[in-house]
């Protein structure tokens, strides 16, 4: 069976890692990676191939940055050519980025099976490009791999037939478990001169937060006020560009309790999350990683596709309201770091990739 895996962004590389490693164990499978080039900086792409020990892509489309329509359209054109050459039996697409949608659409239009990893996640916010990508990808996929029962229910409500849906768990959880020894070995805490449980992390890169000056300022003013501990702020390239346009950048750089750093590697980031007292983020993946690593999370969004973390009391939606971020941040900082009791993981058992591969192997009609 020829499998083409289409990816192009940092989170998609992480989501694919365990699957790539699992496929290698089966000689009857030939998994080939197509990289769209949506992320091209070393720190957002190649670094993760190196750290997660992944084979090089067979094709690099080098599409690069642009408006959503341009970027998705350019990928669609290039992916079609690549799929003609590779002739896969199935195209796998992880997550919710423009690369996900382009991969799904290119394959579906060529009548190639599409398998979507992380199907059925919904924020119900169509202002987010990711929500558009998720919904359209799900509805042109023939294999929908969900991370939780909740996501499966969502797909059933949308009229997707049950036979197409498999709840396998989260491949991001697989990756986290597989890399735990290297995560522990990371020296990032010493490198940044931090003490365990005595710092917070801020990450923000969502278009709706950072491309809107008012929202970005609310977030920055909140962390400027949360001055009782160090705040590490790994800055995404999109955010870096926007920061340079605000008057707050020089203030941020001069503020002692805030430390701006370049985007971090996988092991470094997870080590920091594990020993942080608080996470403030708009990332999807970090909300779940904070849950798995038992660190309280404030999500600076009005909604989340990972509603389970909110229902389980580990994640709080605070929007992009400065007062709410500061109030809830101070409340958490004044509590001793909580430990989950009777912790359950709604996102699987760390064997999602194995399950996906077994399902594909059983479907002889793919060929
Ligand atoms: C994309 C995904 C988002 C995901 C995020 C993870 C979409 C719609 N968004 O957002 O869901 O959470 O990746 O990081 O697919 N840039 C660089 N170097 C790079 C890549 C981007 O400098 O390697 C800059 C460019 O100026 C570009 C901007 O970042 O214009 C945005 O990049 P893009 O890939 O379009 O979206 P992200 O914000 O990274």
């Amino acid at each position: 069976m020829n499998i083409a895996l289409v990816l192009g962004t940092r989170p998609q590389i992480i989501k694919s890692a365990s699957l790539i490693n699992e496929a290698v164990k089966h000689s009857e499978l030939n998994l080939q990676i197509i990289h769209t080039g949506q992320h091209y900086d070393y720190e957002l792409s190649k670094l993760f191939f190196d750290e997660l020990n992944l084979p090089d892509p067979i094709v690099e489309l080098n599409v690069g940055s642009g408006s959503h329509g341009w970027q998705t359209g350019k990928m669609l054109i290039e992916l079609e050519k690549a799929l003609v050459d590779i002739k896969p039996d199935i195209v796998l697409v992880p997550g919710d980025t423009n690369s996900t949608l382009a991969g799904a659409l290119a394959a579906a239009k060529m009548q190639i099976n599409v398998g979507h990893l992380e199907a059925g996640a919904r924020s119900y916010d169509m202002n987010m490009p990711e929500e558009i990508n998720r919904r359209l990808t799900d509805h042109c996929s023939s294999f929908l791999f969900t991370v939780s029962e909740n996501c499966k229910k969502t797909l059933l409500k949308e009229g997707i037939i049950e036979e197409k849906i498999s709840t396998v768990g989260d491949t991001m959880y697989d990756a986290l478990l597989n890399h735990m020894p290297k995560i522990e070995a990371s020296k990032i805490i010493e490198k940044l001169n931090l003490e365990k449980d005595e710092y917070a992390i801020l990450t923000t890169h969502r278009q709706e937060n950072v491309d809107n000056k008012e929202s970005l300022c609310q977030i920055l003013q909140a962390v400027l006020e949360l001055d009782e501990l160090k705040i590490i702020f790994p800055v995404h390239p999109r955010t870096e560009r926007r920061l340079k346009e605000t008057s707050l950048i020089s203030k941020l750089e001069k503020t002692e309790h805030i430390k701006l750093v370049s985007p971090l590697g996988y092991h470094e980031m997870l080590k920091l999350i594990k020993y942080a007292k608080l996470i403030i983020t708009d990332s999807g993946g970090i909300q779940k990683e904070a849950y798995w690593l038992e660190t309280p999370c404030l999500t600076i969004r009005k909604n989340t596709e990972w509603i389970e973390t909110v229902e389980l009391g580990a994640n709080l939606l605070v929007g992009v309201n400065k007062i709410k971020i500061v109030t809830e941040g101070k409340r958490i900082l004044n509590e001793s770091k909580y430990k989950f009791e009777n912790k359950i993981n709604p996102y699987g058992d760390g064997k999602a990739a194995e399950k996906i591969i077994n399902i594909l192997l059983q479907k002889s009609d793919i060929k």
Side-chain angles (χ1 to χ4, degrees):
M1 188 189 299
N2 265 330
I3 304 174
L5 173 69
V6 177
L7 48 73
T9 65
R10 175 171 64 180
Q12 289 180 295
I13 302 167
I14 301 168
K15 285 168 196 179
S16 303
S18 62
L19 192 75
I20 296 166
N21 291 331
E22 190 61 34
V24 171
K25 296 182 192 160
H26 298 269
S27 55
E28 64 273 48
L29 296 180
N30 176 26
L31 185 146
Q32 294 172 304
I33 303 167
I34 306 180
H35 194 308
T36 62
Q38 178 170 350
H39 285 174
Y40 40 86
D41 283 352
Y42 173 78
E43 291 146 321
L44 294 195
S45 178
K46 181 78 170 71
L47 168 63
F48 287 81
F49 276 83
D50 294 345
E51 268 197 296
L52 295 161
N53 225 343
L54 303 176
D56 289 336
I58 184 127
V59 186
E60 306 223 19
L61 303 177
N62 298 315
V63 166
S65 303
S67 66
H68 285 283
W70 180 90
Q71 189 180 54
T72 315
K74 184 99 200 301
M75 286 177 194
L76 193 54
I77 293 169
E78 299 303 326
L79 279 165
E80 190 175 59
K81 292 182 209 158
L83 295 178
V84 167
D85 289 344
I86 296 175
K87 298 187 187 58
D89 302 301
I90 181 165
V91 170
L92 295 181
V93 289
D96 56 13
T97 71
N98 290 343
S99 300
T100 312
L101 176 61
L105 211 48
K109 294 239 174 228
M110 293 171 74
Q111 296 181 359
I112 302 170
N113 288 295
V114 179
H116 185 202
L117 273 71
E118 218 180 76
R122 296 288 181 272
S123 68
Y124 298 102
D125 181 353
M126 286 298 270
N127 291 319
M128 294 177 69
E130 293 84 359
E131 182 72 1
I132 301 167
N133 294 338
R134 285 182 205 115
R135 291 190 188 203
L136 297 178
T137 301
D138 280 340
H139 285 265
C140 64
S141 294
S142 19
F143 293 88
L144 294 100
F145 299 109
T146 71
V147 303
S148 69
E149 281 302 324
N150 199 23
C151 295
K152 177 175 177 177
K153 280 189 200 143
T154 303
L155 293 173
L156 291 172
K157 263 192 263 165
E158 288 180 12
I160 290 178
I161 57 166
E162 192 162 6
E163 292 71 62
K164 291 185 179 180
I165 309 168
S166 311
T167 300
V168 291
D170 198 330
T171 53
M172 282 189 88
Y173 187 53
D174 298 4
L176 185 141
L177 293 184
N178 293 342
H179 284 264
M180 217 53 220
K182 286 186 179 155
I183 292 164
E184 284 297 354
S186 159
K187 292 275 171 277
I188 188 70
I189 293 193
E190 296 79 354
K191 208 167 120 189
L192 293 176
N193 214 1
L194 301 169
E195 295 289 336
K196 286 181 180 173
D197 292 334
E198 286 182 21
Y199 63 90
I201 304 171
L202 166 69
T203 83
T204 179
H205 72 277
R206 293 280 173 188
Q207 178 181 309
E208 60 278 15
N209 282 353
V210 302
D211 287 9
N212 177 328
K213 259 196 186 147
E214 169 59 23
S215 299
L216 184 58
C217 286
Q218 291 276 322
I219 296 167
L220 299 179
Q221 277 163 351
V223 289
L224 283 164
E225 263 186 49
L226 277 171
D227 58 0
E228 41 272 88
L229 81 180
K230 266 200 184 169
I231 300 180
I232 305 301
F233 180 11
V235 186
H236 185 283
R238 174 192 282 276
T239 312
E240 188 181 16
R241 273 204 349 230
R242 297 302 175 214
L243 277 180
K244 284 182 181 149
E245 292 162 14
T246 75
S247 51
L248 285 168
I249 179 72
S250 54
K251 196 166 175 191
L252 272 184
E253 281 169 346
K254 282 188 215 129
T255 304
E256 219 166 272
H257 77 278
I258 297 177
K259 190 162 175 53
L260 279 70
V261 295
S262 301
L264 295 167
Y266 183 65
H267 301 136
E268 290 181 334
M269 191 64 196
L270 288 177
K271 175 94 181 236
L272 276 190
I273 293 174
K274 179 166 181 192
Y275 293 104
K277 181 114 200 243
L278 169 69
I279 309 286
I280 304 172
T281 191
D282 58 16
S283 152
I286 291 178
Q287 292 172 53
K288 287 182 289 175
E289 287 167 342
Y291 178 73
W292 293 321
L293 296 168
E294 304 190 357
T295 299
C297 182
L298 293 181
T299 294
I300 38 178
R301 284 171 47 190
K302 284 185 280 197
N303 45 55
T304 178
E305 52 286 3
W306 308 120
I307 196 68
E308 299 88 350
T309 60
V310 176
E311 288 168 356
L312 289 162
N315 184 12
L316 195 66
L317 295 174
V318 286
V320 280
N321 178 308
K322 182 191 96 172
I323 297 172
K324 196 127 192 239
I325 302 169
V326 173
T327 313
E328 293 302 335
K330 285 190 191 279
R331 183 184 59 75
I332 292 172
L333 295 180
N334 288 324
E335 287 169 358
S336 54
K337 189 172 168 177
Y338 65 80
K339 286 275 166 240
F340 299 126
E341 280 172 33
N342 300 325
K343 188 180 159 186
I344 56 150
N345 182 7
Y347 305 118
D349 58 4
K351 295 192 165 64
E354 201 181 305
K355 289 176 193 160
I356 293 170
I357 294 293
N358 283 338
I359 290 165
L360 295 180
L361 286 169
Q362 280 160 25
K363 300 273 175 181
S364 52
D365 53 334
I366 291 181
K367 284 224 69 160

